[in-house]
Amino acid sequence: MTDAAPPGAGLGKDLVGLEGLTGDQIRTILDTAEPFKEISERRIKKVPVLRGKTIVNLFFEPSTRTRISFEFAEKRLSADTVNISATGSSVQKGETLVDTARTLEAMRIDMVVMRHGSSGAARFLADRIPSNVINGGDGQHEHPTQALLDLLTLRDRFGELDGLKVCIVGDILHSRVARSNIWGLLKVGAEVAVCGPRTLIPLGIEELGVSVFGRVEEAIEWSDALYVLRLQLERMKAGFIPSVREYNRVFGVSAERLERAKEALVVLHPGPMNRGVEIDSDVADGPRSVILPQVTNGVAVRMAVLYLLAGGRPDAAEAAKQGET
Amino acid sequence: MLDPSRDVDGIGDLLVVDGRIEAAGGTLQGPDGCEMQDASGLVVAPGLVDLHVHFREPGGEHKETIATGARAAAAGGFTTVWTMPNTDPPIDDPAAVGFVRAEGERAGGARVMPIGAASVGLSGERMTEVGEMVAAGAVAVSDDGHPIWNAGLLRRLLEYTQTFGIPVLQHSEVRELAGFGVMNEGKVSTALGLRGQPNAAEAAMVARDIQLAELTGGHLHVCHVSARQTVEQLRLARERGLRVTSEVTPHHLALTETAVRGYRTEAKMNPPLRTEEDREAVRRALVDGVIDVIATDHAPHHYEEKEREFDDAPFGIVGLETALGLAMCELVEPGHLSLAGLVDRMSCSPARIMGIDAGTLRPGSPADIVLFDPGERWTVEPEAFLSRSRNTPFRGRELTGRVHVTLVGGVERYRRRAPDEAA
Ligand SMILES: [Zn+2]
């Protein structure tokens, strides 16, 4: 057997964020996801790739979507999974993250998927336990699997990510989805812009290689893809925007505004949506929307990440899919 | 022998009698039975003076006590330290000031001089009994850890303290701008997804405070300057001849915001580490004399408190035992300051701006003396600190310049043991 690629395609032990990956590593994950897409279409949606591996889904913040998507991915790869959510666990009784790490280490868990409210929490855990750590979203830092599924969705639609113009619209300041997408898109050669009220655009964003649009109309004209972020309604209370109504009027993505867009423009959204706030229903449910394919791709991309971190070779994914492990 | 307070730089003897300097320079003859100390190869300088340390007693003895702090100070070459009052409970009345004084005297380290709280309970509302605290031994007032945000209160403090000839030490931060920022606001905070504090949070407060210093004629001391815009404000104050002095920490001279990457909580401090431009600006200001002194902002924290998510970790690092070495590396080795200039910024200048009897080897002065080897290279091993805490971002860093002996009032308070003498 020839062993060209190193274990895990050189991803390392963990997936903490896309900032630390190369364009080639990202493309490898996307390529590996391709054969896994098809498993979800089968009658028996299961392959024995991770049989005997234990995975803990550790969710310090509620997130139905991401947790379910990871759980599907894990089960379809035949892993044993345990879900721990912050509610009702020792987490709420003041156990520190370092104690949680020690406990996980003692239990000899193979992989941990963690969602946490604090930026850097995934890095913190990854540095302290031998298990593979997959960041399921840490504070306002990164949400790498979300960005990977977004990249896969865009690649499905456009065939090529190099040179694609993508504008992320909304609350960039507080968004881990935005950060992971910025890194991921830049690394595969896309052009990235952001657009939103200046109060929600972080200082120094241009230094990451991103351009800024002040008006959503300009952003729409420029873009091949528009990535609409969820507006957390508490931003209004915190004084970042005067009102949700005004936000919708100035930055909302409506069918009317999209009339000036390129023919091929697509609209993405990480969900859950505030219809009538950042995105209008006729856009969310319209022909430009790729929001449902995003969800489908989420499972395939997470399967690919789990498979690669567990030591699977990218060129063997097709065989693994057939159950020939 | 190096004594910038008298422009002395040469080889000579120093005679100490009854805790005071009797004579300095040339060849001296001591009285019979005089104890001899050979300092050849070492620099003999006035003991270092640190205007800004946090010893955690009362309330945080697991981080640092007055005794461990005072001994760590002596190990760093300091003979006088000013302790901030933000303990639990705070040092906001004469009894508490007396406690810190007494514990400091018992400690057998550097001289411990308490700073009293500026407001009762550090709440920023009502002025403390400044006069009573001064009578009990307080040398200044400050709410450090918090800004004195109420401009009316700061105005009154800058007026009221003039009777007692003491300064008001201000932690300059517009809270509405700093928000809950845990690091500098900019490219790195954006990449890390951490809340940032802009330079303007500091500079805007300093600009306001300078107006109050001008209005009142009081002595405003600006703590731990970190932003280049703050330097511009201080330059204006200097040009206008106001009684505004300021300090910079060794870490703001040595590090930038990139030290936070990897969510390193040992690089979390307030004010935060800034950009390279800011670092250069504060260094230049220190060299030009726009910033008067180096102060450590020594802020001990227990290991477990720093071993956590970045947002939840406390601000601050220990600094007493690395200050001289860092200052040598950052200022003297690259040629920004002479060795005499460094001793001035760490000893003579703090004593001079605060009007205390220190920072000089002039005959008649207290024999507060440091002996250090300016060329000795050593590696920072926090486990060897005399401080009770090890929270430093400089672990493993090689420094130049090492303290050998520290004398306070002629009494040896620190002597470095050679490796073969180590217990
Ligand atoms: Zn302070």
Side-chain angles (χ1 to χ4, degrees):
Chain A
M1 195 166 96
T2 53
D3 218 345
L11 287 188
K13 180 173 84 68
D14 313 293
L15 180 65
V16 167
L18 299 192
E19 186 186 2
L21 297 189
T22 63
D24 281 342
Q25 287 173 315
I26 291 170
R27 276 184 283 269
T28 298
I29 298 171
L30 302 183
D31 292 344
T32 309
E34 288 296 341
F36 287 127
K37 274 184 190 170
E38 189 242 325
I39 294 174
S40 305
E41 309 300 325
R42 293 189 194 167
R43 195 170 55 81
I44 298 169
K45 302 180 172 62
K46 208 158 174 143
V47 289
V49 168
L50 296 183
R51 183 178 288 158
K53 298 264 186 198
T54 49
I55 304 182
V56 169
N57 298 313
L58 186 60
F59 277 67
F60 291 85
E61 279 186 346
S63 157
T64 314
R65 282 165 180 260
T66 303
R67 189 178 52 74
I68 288 179
S69 179
F70 267 110
E71 228 182 306
F72 272 131
E74 292 155 6
K75 295 220 156 104
R76 285 174 190 176
L77 295 174
S78 307
D80 297 321
T81 64
V82 180
N83 292 321
I84 303 175
S85 63
T87 327
S89 74
S90 57
V91 170
Q92 279 190 329
K93 295 174 200 133
E95 185 181 274
T96 63
L97 193 52
V98 71
D99 285 329
T100 305
R102 287 178 193 137
T103 308
L104 289 171
E105 188 178 353
M107 291 192 296
R108 306 280 183 263
I109 304 295
D110 293 298
M111 306 178 111
V112 180
V113 175
M114 184 169 74
R115 159 69 58 94
H116 196 285
S118 222
S119 299
R123 169 88 277 143
F124 183 95
L125 187 69
D127 287 345
R128 282 162 185 79
I129 61 174
S131 327
N132 307 107
V133 172
I134 299 168
N135 185 2
D138 64 327
Q140 298 162 6
H141 176 223
E142 284 224 39
H143 190 356
T145 58
Q146 173 72 45
L148 288 166
L149 74 88
D150 299 329
L151 292 177
L152 187 62
T153 307
L154 287 170
R155 199 173 73 167
D156 288 349
R157 183 56 75 108
F158 292 98
E160 180 65 68
L161 294 169
D162 194 35
L164 199 68
K165 292 189 166 90
V166 183
C167 183
I168 308 171
V169 182
D171 180 3
I172 313 297
L173 180 63
H174 300 97
S175 176
R176 53 192 170 214
V177 172
R179 284 173 180 74
S180 283
N181 266 288
I182 287 169
W183 296 124
L185 287 162
L186 289 174
K187 279 163 195 286
V188 298
E191 284 182 58
V192 185
V194 296
C195 175
R198 199 68 226 201
T199 48
L200 294 172
I201 306 284
L203 281 185
I205 190 92
E206 294 92 341
E207 292 174 69
L208 305 185
V210 168
S211 42
V212 178
F213 285 111
R215 303 203 63 95
V216 73
E217 292 81 1
E218 297 166 21
I220 286 170
E221 279 185 42
W222 175 85
S223 299
D224 296 312
L226 212 55
Y227 197 119
V228 185
L229 295 174
R230 175 179 168 81
L231 182 80
Q232 304 284 350
L233 301 181
E234 58 262 32
R235 303 298 169 227
M236 194 178 75
K237 271 183 258 157
F240 288 98
I241 54 166
S243 75
V244 167
R245 183 179 64 175
E246 179 163 314
Y247 182 87
N248 176 256
R249 190 165 298 161
V250 183
F251 294 100
V253 176
S254 62
E256 195 192 337
R257 284 203 162 116
L258 289 180
E259 279 170 15
R260 307 194 35 202
K262 293 178 188 168
E263 189 70 32
L265 177 132
V266 297
V267 176
L268 300 91
H269 192 293
M273 288 179 275
N274 293 308
R275 290 167 182 264
V277 179
E278 72 268 7
I279 189 166
D280 287 359
S281 276
D282 48 3
V283 175
D285 307 327
R288 294 178 184 275
S289 168
V290 291
I291 295 170
L292 288 176
Q294 282 178 282
V295 177
T296 315
N297 280 340
V299 179
V301 148
R302 288 175 177 122
M303 288 170 83
V305 168
L306 292 163
Y307 169 79
L308 291 171
L309 288 182
R313 290 184 10 225
D315 54 351
E318 183 66 34
K321 182 192 81 178
Q322 309 299 336
E324 301 157 14
T325 48
Chain B
M1 187 182 307
L2 199 54
D3 181 8
S5 78
R6 297 178 305 137
D7 267 327
V8 169
D9 183 355
I11 293 171
D13 292 346
L14 190 68
L15 179 62
V16 173
V17 176
D18 291 337
R20 290 194 172 263
I21 290 166
E22 179 79 11
T27 307
L28 298 172
Q29 186 63 51
D32 285 346
C34 178
E35 193 184 318
M36 298 290 287
Q37 162 96 44
D38 181 12
S40 50
L42 299 177
V43 169
V44 177
L48 308 181
V49 176
D50 190 349
L51 299 178
H52 192 148
V53 301
H54 297 268
F55 295 166
R56 303 301 189 181
E57 189 175 359
E61 289 83 354
H62 62 296
K63 302 176 188 216
E64 194 85 285
T65 63
I66 293 165
T68 58
R71 290 199 283 269
F78 293 92
T79 51
T80 296
V81 292
W82 284 22
T83 55
M84 282 294 176
N86 62 333
T87 50
D88 183 19
I91 309 304
D92 64 354
D93 65 25
V97 169
F99 165 79
V100 176
R101 271 274 178 194
E103 286 300 306
E105 272 159 34
R106 290 201 329 181
R111 296 176 197 272
V112 175
M113 301 199 172
I115 300 166
S119 67
V120 176
L122 305 172
S123 63
E125 283 161 16
R126 196 157 49 84
M127 194 191 297
T128 50
E129 290 178 305
V130 175
E132 295 287 327
M133 291 197 301
V134 169
V139 289
V141 290
S142 181
D143 275 356
D144 185 62
H146 309 279
I148 301 166
W149 49 271
N150 180 329
L153 176 64
L154 182 59
R155 174 195 173 162
R156 275 181 235 118
L157 282 161
L158 286 168
E159 289 167 342
Y160 193 74
T161 49
Q162 291 177 48
T163 300
F164 311 99
I166 63 164
V168 179
L169 278 53
Q170 171 73 312
H171 171 117
S172 313
E173 175 184 324
V174 177
R175 293 187 305 182
E176 296 82 354
L177 293 175
F180 295 96
V182 293
M183 67 170 298
N184 183 49
E185 184 172 351
K187 181 185 174 187
V188 179
S189 68
T190 291
L192 293 178
L194 291 171
R195 284 184 302 262
Q197 299 186 12
N199 282 9
E202 177 181 284
M205 184 66 106
V206 172
R208 182 200 79 171
D209 293 354
I210 286 170
Q211 297 300 319
L212 299 176
E214 180 159 25
L215 174 68
T216 60
H219 180 182
L220 172 74
H221 179 76
V222 179
C223 294
H224 39 53
V225 174
S226 68
R228 59 189 186 279
Q229 293 86 347
T230 303
V231 169
E232 289 165 21
Q233 295 299 323
L234 293 169
R235 213 178 284 278
L236 288 174
R238 184 65 37 108
E239 284 164 13
R240 297 217 292 266
L242 304 177
R243 291 183 69 199
V244 176
T245 57
S246 62
E247 68 192 29
V248 62
T249 70
H251 44 275
H252 286 106
L253 293 166
L255 299 174
T256 67
E257 58 179 355
T258 58
V260 172
R261 284 196 165 278
Y263 299 94
R264 295 184 56 212
T265 58
E266 66 267 34
K268 179 177 175 180
M269 62 266 302
N270 192 19
L273 297 169
R274 304 281 187 187
T275 65
E276 188 58 38
E277 268 181 288
D278 296 300
R279 176 175 169 242
E280 276 169 31
V282 294
R283 187 189 66 216
R284 234 178 297 118
L286 180 73
V287 170
D288 296 349
V290 169
I291 292 175
D292 300 88
V293 306
I294 295 173
T296 64
D297 194 8
H298 178 82
H301 288 293
H302 193 260
Y303 171 78
E304 296 283 353
E305 293 164 312
K306 281 282 194 179
E307 176 74 355
R308 57 183 315 162
E309 298 90 308
F310 197 88
D311 278 336
D312 301 334
F315 290 107
I317 65 167
V318 292
L320 286 167
E321 293 170 80
T322 49
L324 181 65
L326 281 169
M328 289 288 303
C329 286
E330 297 295 335
L331 300 167
V332 179
E333 279 195 324
H336 301 304
L337 267 186
S338 65
L339 193 54
L342 182 72
V343 170
D344 177 69
R345 302 306 189 275
M346 295 185 79
S347 174
C348 316
S349 177
R352 187 172 59 241
I353 63 171
M354 295 308 178
I356 57 174
D357 197 8
T360 179
L361 300 178
R362 185 179 295 115
S365 304
D368 293 356
I369 302 161
V370 60
L371 280 64
F372 66 99
D373 180 344
E376 185 175 337
R377 296 189 75 78
W378 60 289
T379 302
V380 178
E381 292 168 24
E383 287 69 26
F385 285 167
L386 296 192
S387 168
R388 191 161 273 185
S389 291
R390 280 107 184 75
N391 51 308
T392 173
F394 300 112
R395 174 186 294 274
R397 176 157 171 175
E398 189 166 286
L399 299 180
T400 306
R402 191 159 209 195
V403 175
H404 281 232
V405 177
T406 305
L407 303 174
V408 177
V411 179
E412 185 178 298
R413 290 290 168 85
Y414 174 76
R415 174 178 293 273
R416 192 168 90 76
R417 287 182 299 191
D420 54 339
E421 292 175 77

